[in-house]
Amino acid sequence: MNLILLGAPGAGKGTQAELIAKQLQIPTISTGNILREAIKNQTPTGLKAKDFMDKGMLVPDDVIIGIVSERLAQDDCKKGYILDGVPRTAPQAQALQDNGIELDCVVSIEIDDAVIARRMTGRRVCSACGASYHITANPPKAQGICNACSGELVTRKDDVPETVQNRLAVYHAETEVLKDFYAKRGKLVLVNGDQPIADATRDILAAIGVQP
């Protein structure tokens, strides 16, 4: 099954993608993690993307579509995948379609901006592997330490209040149109994101026709 998760920054896309991927035994393709790895390694793509990400701006489409297409061509994606963080704009969605990337379902995680702002102040990300946590909603087993790789958990620059507001403005201006794009193609389902993580996971699985 090929899926996309939509939602505002901090809506829980990364957390839900990880849980759904385990249930379906397919990989999660997070453009954020791919880009952060490129930035850490100071690759040309990473250097190009860093300035945009630090300001909470969208990375240019040509960079995004290129890394996604390369990733989806790998063997572990043959049985399906979950796209997390892409597409963010209608042109990106059209480009994915034009590149033959077919989707079974698009899940939009719905949540108010005020809730998003509160959530993101508590978000922590592993500096080594990119795993995402929250100090109250999804805390690590040991404070400040990643469960998966024991890396240090940090607050991302794009989670500071000023950048959060900018990211939400960009989302509403450019990304919400994707709901119309996929609704017209009969691919869109809406799920309430302002509920416990397990309940949101249950609702997503039900929306895509999978028994939890």
Side-chain angles (χ1 to χ4, degrees):
M1 182 175 288
N2 301 339
L3 304 172
I4 286 179
L5 299 186
L6 297 180
K13 297 187 300 295
T15 297
Q16 291 300 332
E18 181 180 351
L19 295 169
I20 300 299
K22 288 180 180 178
Q23 176 75 21
L24 301 182
Q25 296 186 330
I26 56 178
T28 297
I29 311 303
S30 170
T31 53
N33 287 347
I34 295 171
L35 288 170
R36 281 188 285 275
E37 184 67 18
I39 289 171
K40 179 181 177 182
N41 295 332
Q42 296 189 331
T43 66
T45 301
L47 294 174
K48 185 176 181 180
K50 185 177 187 303
D51 187 50
F52 291 92
M53 293 180 67
D54 284 348
K55 295 176 181 177
M57 298 173 65
L58 297 179
V59 177
D61 287 355
D62 60 330
V63 178
I64 295 294
I65 300 303
I67 64 168
V68 169
S69 296
E70 290 176 1
R71 181 66 183 87
L72 297 185
Q74 297 181 19
D75 288 344
D76 64 338
C77 292
K78 289 182 178 179
K79 294 182 179 180
Y81 49 80
I82 299 174
L83 287 180
D84 171 21
V86 66
R88 291 180 184 269
T89 65
Q92 284 184 3
Q94 188 64 54
L96 290 177
Q97 184 173 298
D98 293 344
N99 277 272
I101 298 174
E102 299 294 335
L103 303 169
D104 295 304
C105 191
V106 176
V107 178
S108 178
I109 301 174
E110 303 287 300
I111 191 164
D112 290 339
D113 284 2
V115 178
I116 291 289
R118 291 197 299 270
R119 279 188 177 187
M120 294 180 75
T121 59
R123 185 162 66 173
R124 300 294 182 270
V125 177
C126 179
S127 58
C129 73
S132 182
Y133 299 88
H134 192 278
I135 57 176
T136 56
N138 184 32
K141 295 177 181 177
Q143 184 175 353
I145 302 297
C146 177
N147 295 346
C149 73
S150 298
E152 179 186 4
L153 301 185
V154 299
T155 301
R156 285 166 36 184
K157 290 182 180 179
D158 50 0
D159 283 344
V160 299
E162 295 81 2
T163 306
V164 168
Q165 293 304 318
N166 183 48
R167 294 175 71 197
L168 287 170
V170 170
Y171 171 75
H172 290 301
E174 300 188 25
T175 311
E176 278 197 323
V177 297
L178 291 174
K179 290 197 285 188
D180 289 336
F181 182 94
Y182 288 114
K184 291 176 181 177
R185 290 158 176 78
K187 304 289 187 180
L188 183 71
V189 296
L190 306 180
V191 172
N192 175 24
D194 190 11
Q195 59 179 325
I197 291 173
D199 293 343
T201 304
R202 176 202 63 209
D203 290 352
I204 292 172
L205 289 172
I208 64 176
V210 174
Q211 291 293 329

